[in-house]
Amino acid sequence: MSSESFENLSYEDRTFSPSETFIGNANAKSDIYDEANKDRQAFWEKQANRLHWDKKWSQVVDWQLPFVKWFIGGKLNASYNCLDRHVLEGRGDRVAFNFEGEPGDTRTITYTQLLSEVCKTTNALIELGINQGDRVAIYMPMIPEAAIAMLACARLGAMHSVIFGGFSADSLLSRIQDADATLVITADGGYRKGAAFALKPAVDEALKGVTNVKNVLVVKRTGQETAWGGRDIWWHDLVDKQSDKHNAEFFDSENGLFILYTSGTTAKPKGIYHTTGGYLTQAAFTHSAVFDLKPETDVYWCTADIGWITGHSYVVYGPLINGATQVMYEGTPDTPTKGRIFELVEKYKVSILYTAPTLIRTWMKWGDEYPNGSNLSSLRLLGSVGEPINPEAWMWYREVIGKNNCPIVDTWWQTETGAIMISPLPGVTATKPGSAMRPLPGIGADVVDDEGKAVGNGRGGYLVLTEPWPSMMRGIWKEPDRYKETYWSRFNNLYFAGDGAKLDKDGAIWLLGRVDDVMNVSGHRISTTEVESALVSHEAVAEAAVVGAKDEMTGQGIVAFVILRGGIEAAKGDALVKSLRDHVAKEIGPIAKPRQIMVVAELPKTRSGKIMRRLLRDVAENRAVGDSTTLADPNVMKLISEGLKSGKSED
Ligand code: PRX
């Protein structure tokens, strides 16, 4: 029996240092780690001074494990920090958003214009009776009004609860009920994959349930037929007539900013609750240090939807506080062509691109002709978030998108952490493909074994956070016990992130996937990520998902599902499967050789792009496929099961 919590199987010795010019111009220099180590509180105080405070805090931090407060006694307004400050300081004409609708309609919104739209919306919310502390549900497509609605809530000290537009009426209802929202802001619909989809009917359906919602404010986006009831109000009827002046009030640093629901191990989603001062401090600091934003010259594009934490911290709060010029895109990356994202990079001269491994691997699958069809020379920095990025996907991102000219920042964090925790600093770190490298300055992270002891370099275990951080969640909405149980009961005094990780011989951190997904083969705990990365390092493979399936001999056996790269024929059949198995054995050892490999056209993913291995385990163990309601595309499981019946894929 192995005593390791996670095996350390793969090895990577490629490193990439930033260029001298990048180092010279970087926002964050190498001395920043020492500065933070010397005095963490002083470091975070300095970062808090990036914000405008109406009243300064009297105490930096109050840590009563597991509850934390930051910048106690300070007063500020989130919306003021994102907008008014830029206008007052003469930056009002700078473009905040270059919006591109999927059908090709565009809007250019300056900071002055964004401020006046937010003020009008704030005045509309006041007319609807919204006060500080109230909860407002936002269920929108990716259009500027989504950000405007969030900022209007924040301006009033009300909390937004953004629910991703792809969620069903049931999911919407349970989230409205849990937060006890009194207003829903939505749209008639939006555009996706070349067609209009509807949103308002799901709101109507949800509100058949018991709620305290008094009004539904509806943006007209598509102009489709929309059923109308007494509580419904068109955005243009109410917002357009309001004054574009509103004096922001300043709220306590610990005033609630938002709730964002994230799925947990039980069916009930967790309402992750964030407050204002600490959250904004870390969002602004990390956005500047990790993305190296130069607000006067950069064009920044984070492709995340506003319905996810990445959209909150790195589309709305971080970038706007830092005065960024952004691209916001409504639709899908394959509409009307698979080159859409690259065409937009060229059109808007995007210099910083932040996206997810799922999209990077999809681009690999589609083939290089799409990125090669656009001029991507404006890019100077690339980011990744959401899942471990396989070393080969990282290399492809670097070479084909970044033309070997852009540092890559692989950023590890969670809805719960609020902002980036582990990442290279682009002008400091020599990066290794596939590693998130080390905790940011001011952050404490480590890898521990089952007993909570540090594993040391060269070994695998559980990722933990060792120090409270400013943008830490303040709890699970109305569920303090669940909060303690989920994050603070596994180890003493340490935050349990739920991810496996290892430290390589140099102490760089490698994320190994969720601990719930770990496979146990003959007593060895093997990470899904390492086997997947080994598969993706084969020239034929664009994407892979592996799971452990019951095995009489070994406890669990490794079953792999792979998607081939553009141009590779699936017909290679048995020979291909054999070469993949041998390749894994060669890359990381015979113990990790998949028992079975299936070539599939798609993988089941959540709406935020994470692979749902639980469903693949059902297939691998020949069970009926379990609850798949959170799948982005409900047909995928049918396709996988049918494909398996029709073709022999075992070797
Ligand atoms: O498993 C880790 C993975 O995503 C989880 C957090 O998901 P969510 O709350 O939806 O937030 C996603 C955006 C921050 C983590 O527990 N994850 C996120 N970033 C990375 C990652 N895994 C590996 N590498 C990353 N860079």
Side-chain angles (χ1 to χ4, degrees), residues 262 308-310 354 357 384-389 410-417 422 436 497-499 511-514 608 610:
T262 179
W308 312 121
I309 189 68
T310 310
Y354 188 33
S384 171
V385 62
E387 277 188 296
I389 176 165
D410 173 14
T411 63
W412 179 90
W413 58 296
Q414 308 177 300
T415 306
E416 292 86 340
T417 70
I422 304 177
D499 283 336
L511 276 307
L512 298 178
R514 301 294 296 167
S608 64
K610 295 193 206 299

Side-chain angles (χ1 to χ4, degrees), residues 210-230:
V210 181
T211 73
N212 286 317
V213 171
K214 297 190 182 55
N215 290 107
V216 179
L217 187 59
V218 190
V219 175
K220 187 177 258 181
R221 167 65 181 139
T222 62
Q224 63 199 284
E225 271 292 310
T226 303
W228 213 245

Side-chain angles (χ1 to χ4, degrees), residues 3 35 37 49 75 144 146 153 160 188 192 303 354 357 392 406 412 447 461 500 522 562 598 601 616 620 641:
S3 62
E35 182 195 340
N37 280 342
N49 278 320
K75 281 186 183 297
C153 292
H160 50 75
D188 51 356
R192 247 193 128 255
T303 62
Y354 188 33
E392 287 319 309
C406 305
W412 179 90
V447 179
S522 307
V562 299
M598 309 180 188
L616 294 173
S641 304

Side-chain angles (χ1 to χ4, degrees), residues 342-357:
F342 311 117
E343 288 158 17
L344 294 178
V345 168
E346 176 175 336
K347 174 173 174 185
Y348 292 106
K349 300 198 167 44
V350 172
S351 54
I352 303 171
L353 181 68
Y354 188 33
T355 193

